[in-house]
Amino acid sequence: MTKEALIFMNACMEELNIPYEFMVWGSDLEFPYFVGEYQEQAPINEDGYEEGTFILTGTNTGNFLDLENIKQMIHDYFGNEGLTAILDSGSGIAVSYDSSFPIQSEDQDIFRIQINLHIQEWRC
């Protein structure tokens, strides 16, 4: 995943008004919040096409429903068909909703969800 794609994802989270940081939550703790990371797949040829999964992990206190509402907002924004853009470098990106699941916490007051987004990049 390119740095440019990470910047694009950050902009998407800002547009959705989702409290988000990459890898580690470093701001004052407020709930709910989301942390992003990615997993790349090995390219199968040399045409500049790459794909992977962008993983959003949401954490909340009080109830799980707030996380489900944000998941639905993310699903509606990216959709199964995908959100596409041409990045500043001229490369293309497509981001689509893939899947999600609740993550069990040992603390009964903490709720978590993992949301997986499918990322495709075409580099110039």
Side-chain angles (χ1 to χ4, degrees):
M1 177 169 272
T2 63
K3 177 181 172 184
E4 208 173 19
L6 293 174
I7 292 168
F8 177 79
M9 292 307 298
N10 188 64
C12 291
M13 294 302 110
E14 285 180 4
E15 186 172 327
L16 289 168
N17 201 29
I18 294 174
Y20 161 80
E21 293 192 20
F22 184 69
M23 291 299 295
V24 176
W25 187 261
S27 302
D28 291 336
L29 196 56
E30 57 184 73
F31 294 96
Y33 67 87
F34 282 77
V35 175
E37 59 189 290
Y38 63 86
Q39 183 176 10
E40 295 178 325
Q41 295 178 7
I44 55 174
N45 42 36
E46 299 174 6
D47 61 359
Y49 172 77
E50 296 180 13
E51 66 181 312
T53 302
F54 191 79
I55 303 161
L56 283 168
T57 303
T59 303
N60 195 28
T61 58
N63 68 61
F64 187 75
L65 188 57
D66 290 340
L67 296 174
E68 281 290 327
N69 289 335
I70 294 171
K71 177 193 84 171
Q72 186 62 50
M73 194 169 51
I74 290 169
H75 184 276
D76 293 345
Y77 184 79
F78 292 107
N80 296 102
E81 303 81 31
L83 174 69
T84 60
I86 300 298
L87 305 174
D88 289 342
S89 68
S91 296
I93 189 168
V95 182
S96 59
Y97 180 86
D98 184 13
S99 61
S100 70
F101 58 89
I103 301 171
Q104 189 166 1
S105 172
E106 293 180 18
D107 185 337
Q108 62 188 151
D109 293 328
I110 299 288
F111 299 92
R112 289 202 168 105
I113 191 168
Q114 179 174 318
I115 301 168
N116 300 314
L117 301 173
H118 185 234
I119 305 281
Q120 297 172 289
E121 290 183 78
W122 293 266
R123 292 189 193 188
C124 292

